[in-house]
Amino acid sequence: MTKSKQVFCNVCGIPLEINQVVSKKDYVFIQKKWGYFSEKDGEVHTIRLCEHCYDQWVRSFKVPVTIREQTELL
């Protein structure tokens, strides 16, 4: 039996219930390990964004996100 872990969108706070295999909602996961030349040297930042918050965020970009179609879905 897999144990569920509760995680949340960092922007709106909605729950993104996940377990080790399946997520109930799709979301963006970003993890950045900051290096020597940053003011955050040695820190690891983790961000999760639900699809709605991601869409709002990328609309603010000056350079649009590159989008390509995936033909094989596993």
Side-chain angles (χ1 to χ4, degrees), residues 1-7 16-22 24:
M1 184 159 104
T2 15
K3 192 175 186 180
S4 285
K5 175 184 171 189
Q6 191 81 11
V7 295
L16 305 167
E17 298 179 40
I18 64 168
N19 60 36
Q20 294 175 356
V21 180
V22 178
K24 292 183 181 178

Side-chain angles (χ1 to χ4, degrees), residues 6-72:
Q6 191 81 11
V7 295
F8 302 90
C9 173
N10 285 91
V11 175
C12 70
I14 67 164
L16 305 167
E17 298 179 40
I18 64 168
N19 60 36
Q20 294 175 356
V21 180
V22 178
S23 171
K24 292 183 181 178
K25 295 181 190 271
D26 206 0
Y27 63 93
V28 173
F29 176 83
I30 301 169
Q31 188 171 71
K32 172 63 178 157
K33 296 176 184 176
W34 292 97
Y36 181 74
F37 296 105
S38 79
E39 293 182 20
K40 298 168 191 65
D41 185 22
E43 295 180 5
V44 179
H45 291 201
T46 300
I47 301 167
R48 290 176 182 87
L49 299 173
C50 70
E51 189 172 2
H52 174 76
C53 291
Y54 169 81
D55 290 341
Q56 287 186 320
W57 181 44
V58 298
R59 278 196 290 274
S60 73
F61 290 4
K62 298 242 187 257
V63 178
V65 172
T66 301
I67 300 173
R68 65 179 176 80
E69 291 292 323
Q70 183 174 342
T71 56
E72 291 186 31

